[in-house]
Amino acid sequence: MLVTYLEASRDLCEMDSILFGAALAVCRIIGAKVSTAGRATGLSSAIPAWSRRIEERIAKARALIGRMICFRSGNNRSRIVRTVRMAFAGTNVSLSQPDITQKMMAHDDLKQRIAAWGKRIRRYTERLTRINQNRLFQSDQKRLYESLERPMVSGTGPAPNQADNVAFWRGLWSEHVNHSEGPWTELVASQCASITPMDPVIITPDDVAEVVRRAPNWKSPGLDGLHHYSLKGLAVCHTVLARQFQEALNQKSLPSLFTTGITYLVPKDQCTRP
């Protein structure tokens, strides 16, 4: 079905709409969850479920240790006694036994369990950090070294005003500026006159397939919301994409969809003012 629609598409904008519709149809057919809220503004939690369960165990064990210490020190409040009694449920230990204090000392293995659980989480975190750093070293060494030298900064000041941000960026991007060309441009043009022009660029379906293959699957999409993963799966579009990109290159014109982006403000220090 997709081939018929692709061949009838006139430009890259129509092609983008067709591919987005195809990706959305696939998601609905397989029952995949589709988010319509757009890109998240904060960092998503990547803590696995088993790690959260261990952290809950640690929190409960620490609370139990605290109440046991209170009970041994003579605190006989009903809430403390009830918690300690529940901790010894299923054992032969009774709170009325004279040596209950010594037996409670024997249950200090909770501290050892907490230490073991904490080491398990640390091992996972360190292993995940090594894996991410190795992957980043393969893809972007500069970014890796920057992350090692400069940790992530979270702005602590008040959130910037939207009107101030719009005015600041409009002053940089929206105001037309007339640049005066200096005499050096004529000198450069005369020096480049003897350079042999490069051969015309021919975009082939293999070029499109190679670029799509090397692109990250789930990198944040543009305004169209189309991920690279969909372009990899819809391989039938590569031939038409190569033809339409070639036409755009020959006409020296790209649709506004390819020249419009979204700017996300990331603080570089504690100051959050524009």
Side-chain angles (χ1 to χ4, degrees), residues 46 48 50 120-138 143-145 147-148 151:
W50 66 266
R120 185 183 302 179
I121 295 178
R122 284 194 297 271
R123 286 198 303 269
Y124 164 79
T125 304
E126 293 173 356
R127 177 176 176 272
L128 186 62
T129 301
R130 289 195 300 269
I131 292 176
N132 292 335
Q133 289 178 348
N134 290 336
R135 290 177 178 174
L136 192 58
F137 181 81
Q138 297 294 332
R143 184 179 174 186
L144 170 63
Y145 295 140
S147 65
L148 295 176

Side-chain angles (χ1 to χ4, degrees), residues 184-199:
W184 62 271
T185 56
E186 298 179 358
L187 176 62
V188 173
S190 61
Q191 293 176 348
C192 296
S194 60
I195 298 177
T196 303
M198 63 181 295
D199 297 332

Side-chain angles (χ1 to χ4, degrees), residues 36-272:
T36 58
R39 179 174 174 177
T41 57
L43 298 177
S44 60
S45 175
I47 302 177
W50 66 266
S51 181
R52 290 196 298 269
R53 289 194 296 268
I54 292 178
E55 290 178 354
E56 292 176 359
R57 294 177 192 170
I58 292 176
K60 292 180 180 179
R62 286 175 175 171
L64 180 58
I65 290 175
R67 295 187 179 181
M68 282 186 172
I69 293 175
C70 292
F71 182 81
R72 285 189 310 194
S73 62
N75 190 335
N76 294 325
R77 294 170 54 187
S78 59
R79 185 176 180 182
I80 301 296
V81 175
R82 183 170 62 252
T83 303
V84 175
R85 183 178 291 110
M86 292 175 59
F88 287 105
T91 65
N92 295 326
V93 179
S94 175
L95 300 185
S96 60
Q97 296 178 359
D99 57 346
I100 182 62
T101 303
Q102 287 74 15
K103 291 184 177 180
M104 289 182 64
M105 293 293 294
H107 280 71
D108 283 348
D109 61 340
L110 285 175
K111 296 181 180 180
Q112 299 179 3
R113 294 184 183 181
I114 291 175
W117 291 335
K119 289 181 180 179
R120 185 183 302 179
I121 295 178
R122 284 194 297 271
R123 286 198 303 269
Y124 164 79
T125 304
E126 293 173 356
R127 177 176 176 272
L128 186 62
T129 301
R130 289 195 300 269
I131 292 176
N132 292 335
Q133 289 178 348
N134 290 336
R135 290 177 178 174
L136 192 58
F137 181 81
Q138 297 294 332
S139 60
D140 193 346
Q141 296 182 12
K142 179 181 178 181
R143 184 179 174 186
L144 170 63
Y145 295 140
E146 288 180 351
S147 65
L148 295 176
E149 296 175 358
R150 183 180 59 188
M152 182 179 296
V153 177
S154 177
T156 57
N161 183 272
Q162 182 177 359
D164 295 340
N165 287 332
V166 172
F168 175 80
W169 292 109
R170 181 178 286 119
L172 294 179
W173 291 343
S174 300
E175 296 181 1
H176 182 71
V177 179
N178 293 323
H179 298 280
S180 58
E181 303 293 347
W184 62 271
T185 56
E186 298 179 358
L187 176 62
V188 173
S190 61
Q191 293 176 348
C192 296
S194 60
I195 298 177
T196 303
M198 63 181 295
D199 297 332
V201 176
I202 304 299
I203 301 177
T204 64
D206 292 337
D207 296 332
V208 176
E210 178 63 17
V211 171
V212 171
R213 183 188 66 83
R214 296 170 57 185
N217 286 339
W218 303 110
K219 187 176 181 180
S220 181
L223 298 177
D224 55 0
L226 190 65
H227 290 89
H228 295 146
Y229 180 81
S230 301
L231 296 179
K232 294 180 181 181
L234 304 174
V236 68
C237 72
H238 295 169
T239 301
V240 184
L241 277 176
R243 173 174 58 83
Q244 293 182 347
F245 276 123
Q246 186 68 51
E247 294 174 354
L249 181 63
N250 296 337
Q251 297 173 2
K252 300 180 181 180
S253 176
L254 283 174
S256 59
L257 178 65
F258 289 82
T259 58
T260 304
I262 302 175
T263 300
Y264 291 92
L265 304 181
V266 178
K268 299 299 187 296
D269 51 31
Q270 302 299 327
C271 181
T272 57

